[in-house]
Amino acid sequence: MNGTLPKNIPTVFVVFGATGDLMARKIIPALFHLFEKGMLPKLFHLIGVARREMSREEFQTYVEKLVRANPELKPKPTTLAAFVRMCSYHQGLFDVDADYKRLATTLGHIDGQWRVCANKLFHLAVPPQHYETIFQHLHSSGLTTPCGPEEGWTRVIVEKPFGKDLESAQRLDELLGRLFKEVQIYRIDHYLAKEMIQNVLLFRFSNNLFEDMWDGTLIERIELRLLENIGVEDRGGFYDSVGALRDVGQNHLLQMLALITMERPSGFTPESIRARRAAVLSALTLPERTPSTTTTYRAQYQGYRTIKGVQKDSTTETYFKIRAELSTPDFGGVPIVIEGGKRLGNAKKEIVVTFRHPTPCLCPSGSHLRNRLIFHLGPREGITIQFWAKKPGLKMEIEERTFEFLFRDKRRNIQYVEEYEKLLLDCIAGDQTLFVSTDEVRAMWKFIDPIVCAWQRNDVPLRHYKPDTNQPLTESTKLVEASNKKIPPETLRKEIGIIGLGKMGAGLALNLRDHGWRVVAFNRTSEVTRTMEKEGIIGAYDIKELVQKLRPPRVVWLMLPNGAPTDEMIFGSGGLMHLLARGDTIIEGANSYFKDTEVRYKKLSKTGIRFIDAGVSGGPGGARAGACIMVGGPEKLFKELEPLFRDLSVPKGYAHFEGPGAGHFVKMVHNGIEFGMMQALAEGFEVLKKSSYKIDVARATHIYNHGSVIESRLVGWLAKAFEVFGKDLKEVSGAAGQAGGAAGTRGPNEATWTIATAKAQKIAVKIIEGSLRARDQSQKNPNFQGKVINALRNQFGGHAVKKQK
């Protein structure tokens, strides 16, 4: 992977299937190129193995013709003559022991001539049905037994496909595992050796342009496609038994996906990189439990069935599209679209990464504008970054522009030869980075198998398209990509009522407005409601009016203080329980005690009114631009309301916890932890402030928040507080406020609930208890720790902090 030449160790390269197509089109041209460049070991010998009778001289003539027949190779006579002198031939059958013994004798003679135990590479350039036979004989004959730990390594090179399904792949790997060590096995997927595929790895991890935010926070969508103009041509028999999905989807496209989504490796080592690829492939899933017309699409071009070797009633796909997801923390919920096919209107091989646009949208056009990063694999190679810039002129108008990086002139690339040069060189060097591991093979088949099975059952109808057109691309987009929903369309009506327009409620209302929701809102202070009406929110001046302005089934979000205000709004005379109907839903989004939530759920269940709890974190800023939401209640109701939570949260910023009150329980513990973290910051910064070193506490916040272990949003908010209130926080009260209250106030809060719950579970929570006790003590003896806590609460929650006069 590092581009260095292999150690100049004598090497014998044995190719089974030496008279086949793979040898002619890829192996011989690649080896000749390496020889021409001086990249092969000085002592190197090629032995071709096949059943055809042929002398050494005849084989050398055959190799010479292969080199001359390649229009891209222009060999010098002396160079070609030297190359073919390194070649010899071994006639034999794949299932005859004696032929392997004769091969062993030949290899022994070469070792004797070179006076060293040479490295030996065994390349299976044969159809997969011969793999098991050759592997068994290589092992039983002792040909693959290395001479020792320091010299004479033996390696086997296996071409794709690695099985035809998960079962056959596992069977093949189990056989390989019994006969060889993993370090001896080199599985070739030539796409991994393509220059632009290798560039993906280096572009990501050798630059810091995007990598720090290379996840669902920044990335909205990933598309990978291998679309070709060419058809099946003379590969009818083989292709009809495989199809487009297994031909390019199970291997090339999934390897491309692994590189674009894998976590940063610990180093550019084969072990680290292959482990990262395997990990992300293991997390690949379909959005639904079984493939359907909303997640996969398949089609066959008209005229395919007339090709020689293709069954007259063939249902083999020549085009496919799949919408998938990754269950990783970084990319959970990011749509991934994979497509490949033949005889299409536009040849296109690329990876397209579409970035999210922030909300609210600051765009002159008023519509969201997306930036894209495109890796072009073909027909041209390069990288494009699409962005938006102002049009010249007096108007504030924008247009799309691009940064273009053209990797090289396409004429300099010889298809397949370049990739095999790299792969064969790495085999000699012992570098497995660009070779597929056992874990990767199993993960890829585990994802592909259910799709193939569903297609074989005809769960997904086979469609047909006119060759040399983009018809399937358009049709599949409508059926697969446009249905990027996990719930029935009728449950997705974007209409909601919000009660409580404080800092959090107002932010949620405006956030939903930006996402296209019709928001009807009520606040006890009518002036607040009138202000929100100017922002595009539909005002209601009593609860009955709010309910009347919503169409059934209604969804109402409560953002009120826990206890009496919430209970009065739901159960009081004229409350929601008396105004809503069976099938309507109440979402309780404030910081409520989970036991109160359980009681409310039980009461409302008797009426047929549905109830779900949602703890919201992130402060007013999060409510406005994207919060973190912890949802409880029944999973079925959560799934129905999921688009609402998705719109309100930051990417990957919502999760469901089964059971009434579970969301509020998780949020309660979150706030208890928050108490402890804030207290630790307050104590630490008081130590800094009173130090004899005269520490600049503002500078300390900045250094703490750039790569340190305690880097966090809390430290960032404290840095902002020092900017706003000064390093001494003179005007900030030293009597620490409690959750939801101003400085100097005290009342029930999430910390007290967390402590009570922990005691009931017989769990010690000394840090949280200590933080609450410190806040209580600050009421009588205001101190700098109290100032820090109040300054923090002001920054993330907007709570009042001024000293009382």
Side-chain angles (χ1 to χ4, degrees), residues 210 214 218-220 353-357 370-373:
F210 302 103
W214 195 263
L218 181 67
I219 295 173
E220 180 178 88
V353 179
T354 302
F355 298 103
R356 296 183 186 277
H357 194 282
R370 268 79 174 174
N371 303 117
R372 289 180 174 83
L373 172 63

Side-chain angles (χ1 to χ4, degrees), residues 95-165:
D95 58 351
V96 176
D97 288 334
D99 291 336
Y100 288 87
K101 292 178 181 178
R102 287 193 301 106
L103 178 59
T105 301
T106 300
L107 294 173
H109 285 321
I110 295 173
D111 283 353
Q113 290 174 352
W114 290 350
R115 296 182 180 181
V116 68
C117 183
N119 277 352
K120 297 173 183 68
L121 306 179
F122 299 93
H123 193 146
L124 276 64
V126 298
Q129 60 265 31
H130 297 300
Y131 285 176
E132 184 171 349
T133 300
I134 296 174
F135 288 146
Q136 293 279 16
H137 282 86
L138 282 174
H139 177 72
S140 62
S141 66
L143 283 168
T144 52
T145 302
C147 299
E150 300 299 329
E151 64 172 351
W153 280 105
T154 61
R155 300 175 181 128
V156 292
I157 305 171
V158 188
E159 294 278 346
K160 78 170 186 73
F162 314 118
K164 62 179 181 179
D165 52 26

Side-chain angles (χ1 to χ4, degrees), residues 431-734:
D431 186 343
Q432 292 183 301
T433 303
L434 302 180
F435 297 84
V436 185
S437 67
T438 295
D439 291 339
E440 291 172 87
V441 171
R442 294 188 178 186
M444 291 187 291
W445 278 120
K446 189 175 181 181
F447 173 72
I448 293 295
D449 259 10
I451 300 173
V452 173
C453 291
W455 289 359
Q456 290 173 344
R457 294 192 305 266
N458 203 36
D459 292 351
V460 179
L462 178 69
R463 302 174 188 273
H464 294 84
Y465 62 96
K466 294 180 181 179
D468 310 319
T469 70
N470 292 324
Q471 177 189 344
L473 277 64
T474 304
E475 188 176 71
S476 64
T477 298
K478 293 177 181 178
L479 291 173
V480 176
E481 297 185 58
S483 61
N484 189 20
K485 308 293 180 187
K486 298 183 180 180
I487 53 180
E490 63 269 15
T491 65
L492 299 180
R493 190 175 70 230
K494 289 193 167 186
E495 180 179 279
I496 192 169
I498 294 182
I499 297 175
L501 295 175
K503 292 184 290 288
M504 294 293 290
L508 294 173
L510 295 173
N511 190 348
L512 289 174
R513 178 208 61 186
D514 291 343
H515 281 87
W517 286 71
R518 178 178 182 266
V519 181
V520 182
F522 164 77
N523 194 73
R524 291 182 185 275
T525 305
S526 58
E527 185 58 36
V528 174
T529 305
R530 281 192 285 271
T531 300
M532 292 295 289
E533 285 181 313
K534 297 176 184 177
E535 299 288 340
I537 304 301
I538 300 169
Y541 291 88
D542 58 46
I543 301 303
K544 186 175 182 180
E545 182 186 359
L546 180 136
V547 172
Q548 289 174 342
K549 287 185 174 180
L550 295 171
R551 292 168 292 173
R554 306 168 186 86
V555 176
V556 178
W557 186 296
L558 294 184
M559 212 64 187
L560 300 170
N562 178 60
T566 296
D567 285 332
E568 179 65 24
M569 185 59 64
I570 298 174
F571 303 113
S573 176
L576 288 172
M577 187 178 72
H578 307 290
L579 296 171
L580 296 177
R582 178 178 292 273
D584 290 345
T585 302
I586 296 174
I587 303 172
E588 219 277 81
N591 289 329
S592 289
Y593 188 33
F594 72 96
K595 289 190 175 181
D596 294 342
T597 304
E598 291 173 348
V599 171
R600 291 167 190 148
Y601 176 85
K602 290 177 181 178
K603 285 184 178 179
L604 287 169
S605 295
K606 296 176 182 178
T607 69
I609 297 172
R610 304 182 303 177
F611 183 82
I612 194 168
D613 50 298
V616 183
S617 182
R624 179 65 185 87
C628 171
I629 305 178
M630 296 147 251
V631 187
E635 182 179 13
K636 183 178 180 182
L637 181 54
F638 162 74
K639 286 291 185 183
E640 183 180 321
L641 295 170
E642 189 171 1
L644 168 65
F645 301 122
R646 186 187 301 123
D647 283 350
L648 280 174
S649 68
V650 297
K652 302 178 293 182
Y654 68 92
H656 174 250
F657 303 90
E658 180 65 31
H664 281 156
F665 185 87
V666 175
K667 179 59 165 54
M668 174 192 77
V669 176
H670 162 280
N671 283 25
I673 295 169
E674 177 189 300
F675 265 63
M677 292 174 70
M678 290 171 66
Q679 182 61 31
L681 282 175
E683 291 173 6
F685 273 84
E686 185 172 30
V687 173
L688 288 174
K689 187 175 185 301
K690 293 183 177 181
S691 166
S692 61
Y693 287 108
K694 301 186 184 301
I695 299 293
D696 183 333
V697 290
R699 290 186 67 194
T701 60
H702 288 293
I703 191 61
Y704 285 168
N705 229 27
H706 286 83
S708 85
V709 173
I710 64 169
E711 181 178 359
S712 64
R713 296 182 75 188
L714 281 172
V715 175
W717 278 317
L718 184 55
K720 183 66 176 175
F722 285 138
E723 290 179 16
V724 173
F725 301 113
K727 298 173 186 177
D728 293 328
L729 305 176
K730 287 183 179 180
E731 297 302 316
V732 178
S733 171

Side-chain angles (χ1 to χ4, degrees), residues 193-197 199 349 374-384 404-414 418-419:
K194 283 187 173 293
E195 286 284 359
M196 281 308 300
I197 293 296
N199 239 326
K349 300 178 181 181
I374 306 172
F375 296 91
H376 304 279
L377 282 64
R380 66 187 183 94
E381 294 177 296
I383 300 173
T384 299
E404 296 277 358
F405 162 64
L406 181 62
F407 181 62
R408 62 180 171 187
D409 188 329
K410 184 65 178 173
R411 290 172 294 177
R412 293 172 54 193
N413 176 28
I414 306 174
E418 180 182 73
E419 291 88 339

